[in-house]
Amino acid sequence: MDGLLKQSPSSLNVSMSVAVAYGALALCLALAGLCWTYRNRGFWTSRSANSAWIGGPEGKAFIGNLRELQTNGAASCKAWYSLYERYGPAYEMTIPFFRLHVINHPVYLEHIQKHNSKNYIRGAFTRNVFGELHRRGIFVADGAEWHVQRKAATRAFSKRNFETHITRSLHHWLDVLMRLLSNLAREQKTFDLQSLMSRFMFCLFLGIAFHEDELALAVMSADPKSLETTPEYVEALDRALYLFDRRRRYPLWRLTEKLSGEDKTSKRAAALFYAQIDGLIKKRLDMIKNGYKPSPDDGVDLLDLFMQSTDDPHTLGGMVFGILVAGRDTTAYSISWLMKEIHHQDNKHLDAAQKIRAEAKELGFTTGYLGYGDTPKMRFANAMWHETARLNTVSPAGQMEAAEDDVLPAVPDLNMRPRRIKKGDVVSYQNYVLSRMPEVWGEDATVFNPYRWFTENGESLSYSPFSKPRLVPQRRKTMTWKKLTLECPEYHSWNAGPRSCLGRALATYEGIATSTAILQRFDISLADDSRVYEPLAAMNMVR
Ligand code: HEM
């Protein structure tokens, strides 16, 4: 018998309502699970593998410790320091999308920057935030891409290049700077040293990277009026640097920038700046087509050297940009900090200006400017420079992403067991905190003291960024291993390991030659020599 099985409409309704009820229940359970999972940590972050014993500020549901990390400017540095005071040098936090391991201790830094440095990379976070601005430049590159650029940039800072093109460019711009300062002095004008140094370093960059002096004269010339305007593309650079850097503190920046329209502002700013850089690169490529060859006598510039690795204009733009960003504000602000330390009333007892002048005179540098090989002979000036870089570090914090799971070594002095790091977690170190830690620099860590760069016998000291006992200064040689680990100074202002600062020698030369040239020719007085200056996070400024 054939038959048709039919479901009555009422039974269909019942089964649909049951399905809806189950669906709703499943949704509620999923939501409850989500709320439970992220009750005290940032959304989409890993569960702590060390929670049973490691400290850190209590996280809020879904946002974790975002509030602690959203402080801006000088407040950021102070917030990090106050977290260190509460939780010590090592703790954990989360913000949406990643877990942050704060690792302010030489033992940890040695591990991630020496013993297992291959595992700690810039990673997706840095590339997402900065990629549009840096293209594939050194600061966002990893692996082979990074290696090629590191090699190319290392060639640029060879001794030969220092002694020829770099020295010539520096001396040329020092000449312009000295004439400008004379004009300002004649008019008895107060000026913003930090912004002047930024202009000076930008001009110097154009010389070192492109042999480009014409364009630079619109940024700074001997005429004080040149300080009253800024080319649009340089303003665009500053705007872009600010907007892109701000993204680091806002995990939902893609959404918020889209809603506010700021994504277009940052794109426009980056495009405006790159139009200028790309133009200079195109000009060189055209010159090459017409037979141009770099000449060691005229000086091989950065672009010549980078072109040995690639002739792709987009890649070249990113490579050059990386060096500009690395070298302009860092050095400009360090020179400004140095001048502030020399002239501030807190440091009057050091009589630093007179000592640097006397040192230069004693070494016979009475006219002209210091050459590259002369800088190390200025021992007191070097001590002032290093102490400035230590305490007023222009890179107050850094971070790397773990490419694979890893275990950080135990630190018995801190009572820390081995710490597990999961793939994708971020390790963060804060130079601002490290340079103020009594465990690292002694009880007077926060005091500006250039004499910590000399032994008791007056020999110059250099500190290792890592905790190797053989690098511990003479005066600490009676300490036991345990104490050495704790008290070995950690000079981390230039980073360490494979990604340490490539421009350290250049910045030191520029800093000491420029400050000595100014001090030899002028008396500087601060507009307010008792004002307290605070370092800012991100690109660090004296304000
Ligand atoms: C006082 C001045 C300077 C200081 C304190 C400084 C400090 C640093 C620090 C801390 C880093 C590591 C950044 C990070 O990993 O997040 C770094 C990287 C770097 N610095 Fe400097 N820097 C200075 C000047 C310069 C100059 C003048 C140049 C070149 C013109 C330069 C070129 C670089 C480059 C290329 C890197 C990236 C290295 C890499 O990732 O392999 N720096 N610098």
Side-chain angles (χ1 to χ4, degrees), residues 122 138-139 146 150 153 157 201 322-324 326-328 330-331 334 385 389 393-395 397-400 429 431 492-495 498-504 506-507 510:
R122 289 282 183 234
I138 192 162
F139 275 96
W146 165 76
R150 177 96 194 173
F157 301 126
M201 294 312 304
I323 300 294
L324 166 64
R328 181 191 68 155
T330 47
T331 315
S334 296
W385 173 254
T393 164
V394 290
S395 179
Q399 62 181 46
M400 297 300 266
Y429 37 88
N431 291 338
H492 201 260
S493 299
W494 306 86
N495 217 21
R499 301 205 75 136
S500 60
C501 177
L502 256 175
R504 179 171 171 176
L506 174 62
E510 291 169 339

Side-chain angles (χ1 to χ4, degrees), residues 172 339 347 444:
H172 169 75
M339 286 304 200
N347 296 328
D444 67 343

Side-chain angles (χ1 to χ4, degrees), residues 177-206:
L177 179 68
M178 293 308 127
R179 281 187 280 128
L180 171 63
L181 289 176
S182 292
N183 290 332
L184 288 168
R186 200 167 303 124
E187 294 172 22
Q188 291 280 299
K189 270 207 165 149
T190 303
F191 60 93
D192 180 337
L193 180 68
Q194 179 175 285
S195 127
L196 175 59
M197 284 299 113
S198 235
R199 286 174 187 262
F200 171 63
M201 294 312 304
F202 191 82
C203 294
L204 187 53
F205 162 78
L206 287 176

Side-chain angles (χ1 to χ4, degrees), residues 11-70:
S11 71
L12 197 68
N13 280 348
V14 169
S15 54
M16 268 189 59
S17 351
V18 170
V20 169
Y22 271 123
L25 185 66
L27 198 68
C28 285
L29 282 175
L31 276 175
L34 220 56
C35 289
W36 176 252
T37 305
Y38 297 112
R39 66 192 177 286
N40 56 6
R41 66 182 210 247
F43 182 64
W44 217 252
T45 58
S46 66
R47 189 197 301 272
S48 172
N50 312 298
S51 60
W53 56 273
I54 200 152
E58 181 82 11
K60 301 258 181 318
F62 292 100
I63 59 166
N65 305 100
L66 191 59
R67 296 240 172 84
E68 277 92 343
L69 292 180
Q70 265 180 346

Side-chain angles (χ1 to χ4, degrees), residues 283-293:
K283 188 168 135 192
R284 181 67 54 86
L285 287 167
D286 289 344
M287 283 162 67
I288 290 174
K289 272 190 210 140
N290 293 325
Y292 164 89
K293 283 208 167 50

Side-chain angles (χ1 to χ4, degrees), residues 130-263:
F130 291 111
E132 213 178 311
L133 183 62
H134 282 257
R135 297 184 175 171
R136 309 292 292 186
I138 192 162
F139 275 96
V140 293
D142 282 314
E145 206 171 35
W146 165 76
H147 201 253
V148 167
Q149 296 189 55
R150 177 96 194 173
K151 249 172 94 178
T154 306
R155 277 200 300 270
F157 301 126
S158 66
K159 187 167 177 284
R160 179 166 187 206
N161 230 22
F162 263 119
E163 286 169 352
T164 54
H165 179 51
I166 291 177
T167 299
R168 274 203 295 267
S169 305
L170 177 61
H171 288 188
H172 169 75
W173 281 103
L174 278 175
D175 249 344
V176 178
L177 179 68
M178 293 308 127
R179 281 187 280 128
L180 171 63
L181 289 176
S182 292
N183 290 332
L184 288 168
R186 200 167 303 124
E187 294 172 22
Q188 291 280 299
K189 270 207 165 149
T190 303
F191 60 93
D192 180 337
L193 180 68
Q194 179 175 285
S195 127
L196 175 59
M197 284 299 113
S198 235
R199 286 174 187 262
F200 171 63
M201 294 312 304
F202 191 82
C203 294
L204 187 53
F205 162 78
L206 287 176
I208 292 176
F210 299 106
H211 273 97
E212 182 57 60
D213 290 342
E214 270 311 295
L215 200 63
L217 283 170
V219 179
M220 187 192 97
S221 73
D223 184 350
K225 280 205 169 46
S226 66
L227 304 182
E228 288 166 15
T229 53
T230 309
E232 207 186 353
Y233 76 97
V234 181
E235 271 177 354
L237 167 69
D238 291 331
R239 178 116 196 98
L241 286 173
Y242 168 75
L243 288 171
F244 280 84
D245 185 70
R246 204 183 51 173
R247 291 178 175 178
R248 288 188 303 138
R249 291 184 291 278
Y250 295 92
L252 298 180
W253 61 268
R254 272 191 209 281
L255 183 69
T256 52
E257 283 192 11
K258 198 144 217 89
L259 292 176
S260 67
E262 262 182 327
D263 57 335

